[in-house]
Amino acid sequence: MRTYRPLIGVSANWAEETSRVAQAYLDAVTVAGGTPVILPLTDCAEQIEDYAARIDGLILTGGGDIDPSFWGEELIPESGVPSLYRDNYDLALYRAARHRQIPILGICRGMQVMSVAEGGSIYQDIYTQIDRKLLTHSQDAPKSEAAHEVRLAHGSKLATLFGTEQLSVNTLHHQAVRGTGRGFTATGESPDGICEAIESEHYPMIGVQWHPEHLRRTQPVQDVLFRWLIDEARLQANAVRIHEKYVVLDSHTDTPMVWTEGMNLGERQSDTRVDFAKMRDGRVSATFMVAYMPQKGMNDTERREAHDIAVDTFAKLRAQVDNNPRIVGLALSPDDVAVRQREGRAAACLGLENGYALAGDISNTEKMFSLGVRYITLCHNGDNELCDSAKGNRTHGGLSAFGRAVVREMNRLGMMVDISHASDDTMRQAIEESAVPVVATHSSARSLCNHPRNLTDDLLKRLAARGGVCQICLYGYFLSENGEASVRTVADHIDHVVRIAGIDHVGVGSDFDGGGGIAGCESTDELINITKELLRRGYTEEETAKIMGGNFMRVWREAETYARRHGKSL
């Protein structure tokens, strides 16, 4: 079977009103196993977004100087004449690729663009702005010859790729990275202290100040950079295919907690981890957005207030969806999710976090269902009239009589029962009481992180025996004892649940905008990085699709099927 050759976008230089690329870049990509595609300069935002939507990897190429206004400086005489046309194009191209988790290799100017895009800064002219003796960083020798050494940081991606911490490189610049920018670490340095390489620990991004596309003619080892890009791009393409072919679903987000008046979730927001634009860029099929109700007093006034706030939140959620019909649609069933995906739109689904908002009235369960709610988290951080919480006082010894009645009513309606936040006794009893599988929409494995919000191995086995699903939460302190977690930590929890409960009983519930977000997966558009990590670990396409949404969809369908046969006509 022919190996897929990923499409590698190559940013163009601009000269004499012509988009042009040195042949050396194209040759390097081709030899490494990719298909190079030149991306002509444009100031059309939609065109740049289209570039990013089509490529599997990106090379930001070398060229002229960058306008210093991007990092708040005035142009000095020693700086070259910048081209704002190219600067804006390069920065927009970087951001569009970054939003889609596309692997990026920045070369010379390209590395500087990466830094500036993340808030870093550049020396306009190292010889003017650095008060020490420097090497000559713009060689007169052929570009294929090395001019000086570079020290690579121990344990860095580059040191691992090259198999050495000392490298001979060419040098063709007078500008250089001064501040690396958010998320980047300087991992290469010349003997005179100039930054020669940057990289991201948790994302597939490397920048080098030298020109490996020319140097590879005399140093074949330089091809490892392009092979790295091709390997990452091939993984990206595989992950994208899964996200486009199957339903990818995030079972729990708290975005209504953080939105502000006038915010439009149809546009990319800096203050939320979830919005419809991020869902589109990350190719996330469906996201459950919940109305979260903190546990307060049990008097009628406070319970009614929680109920009214929940109802108002769902109205506002539906308005956000209605106001962005091009990119999102409401989903009240698994079939709706599939339809939205075929339409090329994201699916917004509704959940209620904390049965406290039922205000002690079982008829409000059906009211919530009529508003579009498709699961209820039985409790939050505190016992309520339904059940005991993981952080409660064992008021009922598990489910109350009212809680049992609510579970049965949810079964009748086709609404999923969510046991996240519940005490161990509540979880065991809910699993047994429910006529259909239950879900833990945002919990992790207690064997790996001893937190009462997580599920023990015994609970995982009980959940699986009845067909349920544990959705791994991306909250640091549910993943590790010290709160430090990454995509690899999430995959460790997934691995554990698969070993204990089986491949059909695990998924992902991010808890974004409610505390969720870890290194390598900080927002909805980065969920694909979990997909890539699962593929790295050897999960098949079908197994990965189950974890990233298929298992949760199965439970949702089972809840619907039960309701059709035994309860409410949907």
Side-chain angles (χ1 to χ4, degrees):
M1 183 177 178
R2 184 186 175 194
T3 301
Y4 175 69
R5 297 181 67 89
L7 294 178
I8 305 300
V10 184
S11 71
N13 206 334
W14 182 248
E16 298 177 355
E17 297 189 355
T18 303
S19 293
R20 55 179 62 173
V21 171
Q23 185 65 33
Y25 291 109
L26 311 181
D27 291 344
V29 170
T30 301
V31 169
T35 298
V37 180
I38 301 172
L39 305 178
L41 270 76
T42 179
D43 56 9
C44 175
E46 289 186 0
Q47 184 66 61
I48 287 177
E49 292 293 330
D50 191 56
Y51 287 163
R54 294 170 183 266
I55 60 176
D56 304 313
L58 174 66
I59 292 178
L60 292 169
T61 62
D65 291 352
I66 303 174
D67 193 300
S69 63
F70 288 107
W71 61 94
E73 286 185 5
E74 296 291 330
L75 188 72
I76 64 175
E78 293 79 7
S79 187
V81 179
S83 166
L84 278 174
Y85 185 40
R86 186 181 181 193
D87 291 345
N88 286 323
Y89 154 85
D90 272 343
L91 290 167
L93 187 55
Y94 167 82
R95 292 183 179 118
R98 176 72 179 83
H99 292 160
R100 290 166 174 78
Q101 312 310 303
I102 293 170
I104 302 173
L105 173 60
I107 294 175
C108 197
R109 168 195 165 91
M111 180 179 95
Q112 297 166 15
V113 167
M114 294 163 70
S115 293
V116 171
E118 297 294 350
S121 59
I122 305 297
Y123 290 110
Q124 294 185 55
D125 180 70
I126 55 177
Y127 304 106
T128 302
Q129 296 180 305
I130 296 178
D131 187 20
R132 64 174 182 269
K133 184 174 176 58
L134 298 177
L135 298 172
T136 299
H137 283 271
S138 186
Q139 67 190 81
D140 294 325
K143 297 175 183 178
S144 60
E145 294 183 11
H148 65 71
E149 299 293 304
V150 167
R151 295 186 296 272
L152 302 178
H154 179 72
S156 64
K157 289 180 184 177
L158 285 166
T160 301
L161 285 171
F162 282 105
T164 181
E165 295 178 9
Q166 195 81 10
L167 201 63
S168 298
V169 301
N170 56 11
T171 184
L172 304 165
H173 65 100
H174 77 117
Q175 293 195 327
V177 168
R178 178 166 55 190
T180 56
R182 191 185 81 91
F184 286 115
T185 301
T187 56
E189 187 178 86
S190 56
D192 56 359
I194 297 298
C195 179
E196 293 282 343
I198 63 173
E199 59 188 63
S200 170
E201 179 181 359
H202 298 288
Y203 301 94
M205 297 188 292
I206 292 176
V208 296
Q209 189 62 64
W210 65 91
H211 281 264
E213 77 282 4
H214 293 298
L215 196 56
R216 59 181 290 273
R217 297 168 186 165
T218 56
Q219 289 187 21
V221 69
Q222 295 290 333
D223 279 333
V224 301
L225 281 170
F226 299 97
R227 289 198 297 268
W228 166 83
L229 181 64
I230 299 307
D231 289 344
E232 291 290 337
R234 190 173 287 121
L235 182 64
Q236 171 76 7
N238 288 338
V240 167
R241 187 180 67 253
I242 289 172
H243 280 234
E244 292 180 339
K245 181 178 178 181
Y246 301 93
V247 169
V248 172
L249 181 147
D250 183 348
S251 59
H252 190 92
T253 67
D254 285 291
T255 305
M257 284 178 58
V258 298
W259 68 28
T260 57
E261 191 68 29
M263 181 178 287
N264 178 11
L265 294 183
E267 300 171 352
R268 178 171 281 271
Q269 301 294 329
S270 60
D271 296 330
T272 68
R273 295 179 186 266
V274 180
D275 56 50
F276 307 140
K278 293 187 184 79
M279 289 180 67
R280 176 201 61 210
D281 291 346
R283 293 175 170 88
V284 175
S285 314
T287 295
F288 270 87
M289 294 183 173
V290 307
Y292 155 70
M293 294 300 112
Q295 187 63 43
K296 295 184 178 179
M298 297 298 291
N299 63 63
D300 289 344
T301 300
E302 288 176 299
R303 293 192 303 175
R304 188 69 200 178
E305 181 183 21
H307 172 270
D308 292 345
I309 291 173
V311 171
D312 181 63
T313 299
F314 292 128
K316 290 177 179 176
L317 270 167
R318 295 183 75 137
Q320 288 279 355
V321 174
D322 292 343
N323 290 337
N324 292 283
R326 286 195 313 107
I327 60 174
V328 68
L330 190 67
L332 303 179
S333 69
D335 284 345
D336 285 349
V337 172
V339 170
R340 299 292 93 76
Q341 189 169 32
R342 287 196 296 272
E343 294 170 341
R345 297 194 290 162
C349 314
L350 308 184
L352 173 62
E353 187 171 23
N354 200 352
Y356 175 61
L358 296 177
D361 184 349
I362 197 167
S363 69
N364 282 329
T365 311
E366 185 163 5
K367 179 178 180 179
M368 292 297 174
F369 186 87
S370 71
L371 295 175
V373 174
R374 290 302 178 263
Y375 75 68
I376 296 177
T377 312
L378 296 178
C379 61
H380 195 253
N381 291 336
D383 299 347
N384 61 21
E385 60 266 63
L386 282 75
C387 65
D388 295 342
S389 164
K391 290 193 172 183
N393 300 308
R394 296 184 56 81
T395 302
H396 311 286
L399 279 174
S400 67
F402 178 66
R404 291 178 184 275
V406 168
V407 168
R408 292 192 295 270
E409 177 70 352
M410 292 169 72
N411 289 166
R412 183 185 74 83
L413 295 167
M415 187 183 289
M416 290 174 283
V417 178
D418 178 18
I419 59 173
S420 285
H421 283 286
S423 70
D424 288 2
D425 286 338
T426 298
M427 287 193 276
R428 279 190 287 268
Q429 293 167 23
I431 290 168
E432 293 301 318
E433 184 70 34
S434 179
V436 297
V438 305
V439 293
T441 61
H442 55 305
S443 298
S444 299
R446 200 178 300 178
S447 287
L448 273 62
C449 179
N450 187 21
H451 193 289
R453 275 278 284 102
N454 290 339
L455 273 65
T456 64
D457 286 358
D458 175 69
L459 282 167
L460 287 170
K461 291 174 182 177
R462 289 171 183 263
L463 184 73
R466 297 294 295 269
V469 180
C470 176
Q471 303 283 108
I472 302 303
C473 183
L474 307 189
Y475 179 64
Y477 285 99
F478 297 165
L479 293 168
S480 71
E481 305 290 341
N482 63 9
E484 295 180 3
S486 69
V487 167
R488 290 184 290 275
T489 320
V490 174
D492 290 343
H493 278 256
I494 291 172
D495 286 346
H496 181 81
V497 177
V498 169
R499 284 194 298 270
I500 298 300
I503 191 69
D504 297 317
H505 306 286
V506 64
V508 176
S510 68
D511 206 15
F512 286 147
D513 294 320
I518 43 87
C521 191
E522 297 181 349
S523 53
T524 291
D525 50 354
E526 298 186 5
L527 283 170
I528 197 169
N529 293 331
I530 298 177
T531 304
K532 289 195 276 190
E533 179 63 20
L534 295 175
L535 293 172
R536 286 185 203 276
R537 295 189 179 208
Y539 286 93
T540 66
E541 177 180 317
E542 292 75 16
E543 290 170 338
T544 302
K546 283 185 176 184
I547 295 166
M548 295 305 295
N551 290 334
F552 193 92
M553 290 286 285
R554 171 185 54 78
V555 173
W556 192 357
R557 287 192 183 280
E558 290 189 39
E560 269 200 350
T561 300
Y562 180 88
R564 286 195 181 97
R565 292 176 179 171
H566 304 285
K568 184 178 178 64
S569 177
L570 299 177

